[in-house]
Amino acid sequence: MNNELRVEKGSRCRLCGGQVEESIDFGPQPVSNAFILPTEVGGEPFFRLALGLCLSCGMAQLLDEVPRERMFHEDYPYRSSGSAFMRKHFEEVALSLVEEELTGPDDLLVEIGSNDGIMLKAVAEAGVRHLGVDASRSAVEVATAKGVRSRVDFFEESTAAAIRAAEGPAKVVFSANTFSHIAYIDSVFRGLDLLLAPDGVFVFEDRYLGDIIEHNYFDQVYDEHFYLFAVRSVQIMAARFGFELVDVEPLRVHGGAMRYKLARPGARRPSAAVSEFVDKEARLGLADPATFRRFAAGISRTRDELLAVLTDLRAGGHSVVGYGATSKSATVTNFCGIGSSLVSFVCDTTPEKQGRLTPGSHIPVMPPEAFSDPYPDYALLFAWNHADEIMAKERRFREQGGRWILYVPDVHIV
Ligand code: SAH
Ligand code: TMP
Ligand code: ZN
C-alpha cells in the first residue's frame, strides 16, 4: 500500500526560481488538520515535510507542496474564533482598517481566508461593504450566520476577476494567516492586480520568520505554512509582482507575527519601519545558511529533551495530557514520535476535532471538560501561543498541583 501523498518535488525557489540549498527535513508527516476517526487508522496519507531556504532571495519555503484540496475543504476543522484574544485582535484590525482605509461611502474590503468571520464580523457591523473568500464551506457557514458576506472559493486570479466583475475594485484586500498557505503566489498577485483599486492596499499578517528562528518555534513548520515570511523576502516578493512593500508592523499574536502593507509602486511612501527591519534582518543574518543550521540544531535538541522528559514522567507513574490540538502539534508529535503512550489525550474546544485522533500520532481529542476529570499531573501545552488565555482559564490546574510542560523556546516546566 502506498500512503505517500503525491507532492510536487522541487528545489527551485517558488519566488525567484533560484536554488533552495539549505533544508531541514522533518520526515514523513500527515496533513496537519486531518483529524481522523479511529476506524480510519492505517489509511492516512503522509508527505515529506522539509523547510528550505532560498539563498538568492532569502524566502523560507517548503520543498514539497501538499495539494490545496487535501488541506482546505468542506470539513476543514480550524475555527479562528476559539480564542478570545484573537477575537479582540481581529476586532481591532477591522476597526483600524475601517477608520484608516475604508473612508469612502462605498469602499469594498475583500478578505482572503476569512474562515468563521472573526475579522469581517466587525466590518459587517460597521456597515462597510465586504466579501470574505474562504476554501472551507463549513467555516464560511459559521461566518454567514454572523452576517458576514462570504464565498466558498480558493482565491486566485480567476476568483479575483469574478469578484472584480461583480463588485468593482477593492480598496483593501486583507489576509491573515492565509497568504503563507498559498504556494501559487503568481496567480494571487495577478488577482490582486486585477482586483485592487489604483490607490488600494493589500494588507496581510503572518507568522514572522524572525520570531520563529529566535524563539525556536519549529512547530510553525507544517504543511499549511508553505512560506515563512520575513520583511526582506516580502519586499522582494512584492517588487517581483509589481507591488511595493510600504509598511510593516510587528504583532504579538501566534508567538510573533508581522503585518505587511503592499501598494502599487509609488502610490504610498514607504515607512521607515520597512528599511529598519530590512537592516535588522541583515544584521541578524536571517537569510544566512549558518542561522538556518543553528535553528536545525535547536530543533533536534528540543526533540531529544522533550522525549526524555515525557518518557521519565510516564516511567515515574505520572499522568500527562496535551492541551490544544493545534496544527502545530502535528509537527511536534510526528517529528518527536509522541503518541498516546506518552500523552494520553489532548483536550480542545473545537467540536469538529473532538472524538477524533490527532493526525499521524493518533492521540484521542477530548472536550476541555475532560481536563479536570480528574486533572492530570502534567499538561503539555501544544497551544503555547494562547498560553496566557489558557493558563488564566485553567488556573485551578496549577493551584491544585498540576504543572505545564512547554517546549518553546526550550523544554521547561512551570
Ligand atoms: N484568517 C483566519 C483564518 C486562518 S486559517 C485567522 O487568521 O485565524 C486559513 C484559512 O484560509 C482557512 O480557513 C482556509 O480554508 C483558507 N484558505 C486556504 N487557502 C485559501 C485560498 N487560496 N483562498 C481562500 N482561502 C484559503
Ligand atoms: P491555533 O494555535 O492554530 O490558533 O490553534 C489553537 C487550538 O487550541 C484550537 O484547536 C483551539 C484550541 N484552544 C483550546 O482548546 N482552548 C483555548 O482556550 C484556546 C484559546 C484554544
Ligand atoms: Zn528565491
Side-chain angles (χ1 to χ4, degrees), residues 68 71-73 76 78-81 86 90 111-116 118-119 133-137 139 153-156 174-178 181-182 184 188 205 207 224 254:
R68 61 186 189 177
M71 298 187 282
F72 312 114
H73 45 73
Y76 179 67
Y78 183 68
R79 298 290 176 269
S80 304
S81 297
M86 293 308 295
F90 281 120
E111 184 179 3
I112 306 174
S114 44
N115 197 271
D116 60 5
I118 187 168
M119 199 284 285
V133 183
D134 198 289
S136 163
R137 180 176 301 279
D153 233 328
F154 285 99
F155 187 93
E156 56 191 329
F174 177 79
S175 190
N177 308 304
T178 301
H181 298 31
I182 308 179
Y184 40 99
V188 171
E205 44 183 79
R207 276 89 170 162
E224 296 179 10
H254 293 305

Side-chain angles (χ1 to χ4, degrees), residues 272-299:
V274 175
S275 47
E276 282 164 18
F277 268 98
V278 168
D279 292 348
K280 184 176 169 199
E281 289 175 1
R283 272 199 316 278
L284 291 173
L286 199 55
D288 292 352
T291 307
F292 210 62
R293 282 195 288 261
R294 266 201 309 278
F295 181 44
I299 296 171

Side-chain angles (χ1 to χ4, degrees), residues 143-164:
T144 308
K146 293 176 183 164
V148 168
R149 268 186 84 217
S150 28
R151 65 187 267 165
V152 182
D153 233 328
F154 285 99
F155 187 93
E156 56 191 329
E157 186 177 6
S158 57
T159 321
I163 296 172
R164 165 76 209 224

Side-chain angles (χ1 to χ4, degrees), residues 323 345 347-349 354 366-375 394:
Y323 205 108
F345 63 87
C347 42
D348 194 287
T349 48
Q354 295 163 5
M366 311 273 270
E369 294 74 44
F371 189 52
S372 54
D373 186 27
Y375 280 122
E394 300 289 3

Side-chain angles (χ1 to χ4, degrees), residues 31-38 40 71 75-83 115 138 207 222 224 254 323-330 345-359 362-368 382-383 385-386:
V31 173
S32 65
N33 265 297
F35 291 83
I36 60 165
L37 293 168
E40 292 166 334
M71 298 187 282
D75 302 320
Y76 179 67
Y78 183 68
R79 298 290 176 269
S80 304
S81 297
S83 156
N115 197 271
S138 51
R207 276 89 170 162
Y222 57 91
E224 296 179 10
H254 293 305
Y323 205 108
T326 57
S327 338
K328 298 184 285 293
S329 69
F345 63 87
V346 188
C347 42
D348 194 287
T349 48
T350 317
E352 287 82 354
K353 297 180 183 176
Q354 295 163 5
R356 292 179 170 255
L357 304 175
T358 58
H362 305 158
I363 305 172
V365 184
M366 311 273 270
F382 289 122
N385 47 318
H386 302 293

